[in-house]
Amino acid sequence: MMYKTKIIKINEKKEIGNLLDEAISIIKSKQVVAIPTETVYGLAADAFDSKAVERIYEAKGRPSDNPLIIHISDSDQLKKIAKYIPKKAKSLMKAFWPGALTIILRKKKQVPFITTGGRESVGVRMPNHKVALELIKKTGPLAAPSANSFGKPSPTLALHVLEDLDGKIPLIIDGGKSNVGVESTIIDFTQKIPMILRPGGITIEQIEKEIGTISLHKSVLNPKKQIKDALAPGMKYRHYSPKAKVILIQKGSIKNILKKYPDAGTITMQKHISSKGPVKQVDSLEDFAKEVFAFFREMDSLGIKTIIVDKVPETGIGLSILNRVKKAASKII
Ligand code: TXA
Ligand code: MG
């Protein structure tokens, strides 16, 4: 299906008024809408309607065995989705919702298998974004993957969604730049010991402080291995990759690498890096996370052939940044 993709701008800080009416009626007619969240933009449809969810996979070009996350606006909506909520999962919801944490639970019958990629489990999160919450309050739970086309970096601006999905979806709600910039952390409560399947906006340190020891899926630290594990279906796919070749610095020196690739685009926390190519200097790990996907896309649009990602510590949200960048990197120096 071809659409003339419309964009509606909504300022999170102002009154929303009737600006969501069109989105609501599109969702009710079983179609998809790209929505802002605090992590990345999502491509949303009615989570309980198989036809609507099918359209998400179609627009993204995503394999339908890769499950979607269901987004909710209040904990009451969980009753229709999850069979049982373990105590520690409840503690995490209390501590981090609304926020960048997806919790995997046993699904109820009403949740169609197309939403869960054929699984008995379901991922749920409450996004920390006024526009998304307001919409979900009116439509009910929305299934949404990141609103990029399959294989591309996740979109942190409405413009990124348009780049990938123009003509393939009827509507994009532009809520400005995503505040977190990397996707949610995913924790699986269908395991004996809760397991992190994907590091993201909420850090592992924050989670352990709340519920004690958890386990890490092997793809968390080793995303490059094409892990074909039924537990973390999303990790077997190539992700987050710009067209440019990505070089991640771990031990090497940025000066030496810039000698070899003088036109490269560089993202770094260091000040005073001089280069012929574009340099994005960020001041904190949080800003690094917020900017990294947008930087990848920007370099592609400038025709830059090599992207250098400078050292990032493997703690806090740094671990989540590294998980994404390692996956996109063709070289780690
Ligand atoms: O921050 C986010 O999580 C964003 C925003 C839009 O909420 N969404 C997002 O969705 O990143 P997506 O589909 O791009 O990534 C979701 C990941 C996939 O790798 C999928 O395999 C995994 O979550 N997932 C979802 N449900 C699952 C389940 N029941 N069991 C195991 N993995 C699951
Ligand atoms: Mg995605």
Side-chain angles (χ1 to χ4, degrees):
M1 184 118 154
M2 278 298 282
Y3 297 93
K4 171 135 184 46
T5 304
K6 181 171 171 181
I7 301 180
I8 294 178
K9 249 194 159 90
I10 303 185
N11 186 336
E12 218 190 331
K13 293 187 186 81
K14 294 195 183 140
E15 270 303 303
I16 294 177
N18 60 3
L19 286 171
L20 285 173
D21 288 359
E22 193 167 346
I24 294 162
S25 81
I26 291 174
I27 298 278
K28 287 193 171 146
S29 71
K30 307 181 190 230
Q31 314 217 48
V32 304
V33 176
I35 62 167
T37 86
E38 84 281 30
T39 56
V40 301
Y41 275 72
L43 189 58
D46 182 345
F48 295 101
D49 190 288
S50 300
K51 181 72 217 158
V53 172
E54 214 170 282
R55 291 199 164 112
I56 296 177
Y57 289 102
E58 258 170 48
K60 253 187 91 101
R62 170 174 170 136
S64 59
D65 65 343
N66 195 3
L68 308 177
I69 294 169
I70 299 187
H71 297 69
I72 58 174
S73 59
D74 65 80
S75 300
D76 257 10
Q77 291 175 338
L78 263 181
K79 292 186 193 127
K80 292 197 285 183
I81 298 170
K83 252 190 197 158
Y84 162 75
I85 305 166
K87 215 169 123 208
K88 286 184 176 174
K90 275 194 190 131
S91 311
L92 292 182
M93 291 170 186
K94 197 158 167 252
F96 302 116
W97 277 4
L101 182 70
T102 295
I103 298 181
I104 298 190
L105 301 163
R106 300 247 163 252
K107 83 170 189 74
K108 276 204 170 158
K109 256 218 206 87
Q110 296 97 298
V111 179
F113 279 114
I114 184 160
T115 303
T116 66
R119 290 159 180 266
E120 291 292 348
S121 64
V122 62
V124 193
R125 102 172 174 97
M126 189 187 291
N128 187 16
H129 195 288
K130 188 175 145 194
V131 176
L133 290 172
E134 185 76 22
L135 178 67
I136 298 164
K137 208 162 79 187
K138 305 234 168 87
T139 57
L142 296 177
S146 50
N148 50 298
S149 42
F150 184 59
K152 288 277 190 67
S154 291
T156 52
L157 288 171
L159 171 75
H160 301 155
V161 181
L162 192 69
E163 274 170 12
D164 285 11
L165 301 177
D166 192 13
K168 294 184 174 156
I169 59 174
L171 179 65
I172 300 171
I173 299 174
D174 181 352
K177 192 174 207 169
S178 296
N179 208 23
V180 176
V182 292
E183 304 88 341
S184 62
T185 300
I186 303 179
I187 185 163
D188 185 353
F189 272 93
T190 67
Q191 315 281 321
K192 265 208 196 100
I193 300 171
M195 183 188 268
I196 302 285
L197 301 184
R198 178 178 77 181
I202 298 291
T203 68
I204 288 166
E205 292 88 337
Q206 283 176 295
I207 292 173
E208 286 195 321
K209 211 173 141 203
E210 226 36 70
I211 61 168
T213 310
I214 47 179
S215 63
L216 301 187
H217 188 265
K218 48 190 184 288
S219 65
V220 170
L221 298 172
N222 259 323
K224 197 71 184 166
K225 285 193 190 139
Q226 291 287 307
I227 297 164
K228 290 204 174 90
D229 176 346
L231 286 179
M235 298 316 289
K236 69 175 183 261
Y237 301 107
R238 193 180 134 98
H239 265 108
Y240 319 116
S241 305
K243 283 190 220 108
K245 166 181 162 150
V246 176
I247 300 175
L248 171 65
I249 302 185
Q250 281 200 312
K251 298 199 183 85
S253 111
I254 195 161
K255 282 200 184 115
N256 288 338
I257 294 158
L258 275 169
K259 271 183 209 145
K260 202 163 164 204
Y261 303 95
D263 303 315
T266 306
I267 180 163
T268 177
M269 295 211 286
Q270 298 186 57
K271 292 193 172 112
H272 318 298
I273 293 292
S274 68
S275 167
K276 241 170 71 191
V279 176
K280 176 99 205 167
Q281 194 264 322
V282 290
D283 288 326
S284 63
L285 273 182
E286 283 68 32
D287 280 343
F288 209 120
K290 192 167 167 171
E291 300 295 342
V292 66
F293 288 149
F295 186 71
F296 283 0
R297 283 178 181 264
E298 194 191 333
M299 293 306 98
D300 276 353
S301 67
L302 292 173
I304 298 283
K305 295 283 181 295
T306 310
I307 294 171
I308 299 172
V309 178
D310 199 5
K311 270 188 205 103
V312 173
E314 206 159 41
T315 55
I317 203 162
L319 180 76
S320 314
I321 299 168
L322 281 173
N323 174 273
R324 307 302 190 273
V325 174
K326 280 183 187 167
K327 207 153 182 201
S330 51
K331 245 192 205 173
I332 300 180
I333 298 181

